[in-house]
Amino acid sequence: MTVAVDGPAPEQPQLLRSADTPLGRARVARGWSQEKAVRALVLLADAWGWQVASEASLKVQLSRWEHGGSRPNETYRVLLCSLYRATPKELGFDRAPQTAKGMRDRISTLESLVENLTAMLAAQGVQA
């Protein structure tokens, strides 16, 4: 079978891409660009009477959320779960956010562990 084409071939639509995160995969699985997802978020928020950021700001935020650079607050988590018809766990929202205090506590715990291991090795005559 042959196909005749008059004129130049049209440009192929841009392939949808996202970060390999649950949130990014949820958007791409629906065949949505970031622009379409942002517009849908705004429309959903408007329908509910909720105030959200501008579309331009949301596009930047959505990219950060998809790449793990930041986490959406509760308002946006609810909107995203409704928009993608997914649970917080399915979108990766069940992980605890890293806080400065949490990081300091982890560092302190690791420092104590290193000190204890060093002391145990020294007691056994092993130099660290």
Side-chain angles (χ1 to χ4, degrees), residues 12-32:
Q12 181 177 0
Q14 183 179 5
L15 296 175
L16 293 175
R17 292 178 288 179
S18 76
D20 188 22
T21 61
L23 186 58
R25 289 189 299 269
R27 176 179 56 77
V28 171
R30 280 150 187 80
W32 291 0

Side-chain angles (χ1 to χ4, degrees), residues 49-72:
W50 291 15
Q51 292 188 352
V52 294
S54 68
E55 287 188 31
S57 179
L58 276 175
K59 185 170 185 310
V60 171
Q61 288 298 334
L62 181 61
S63 180
R64 288 181 182 157
W65 299 334
E66 287 185 2
H67 286 85
S70 65
R71 291 174 45 92

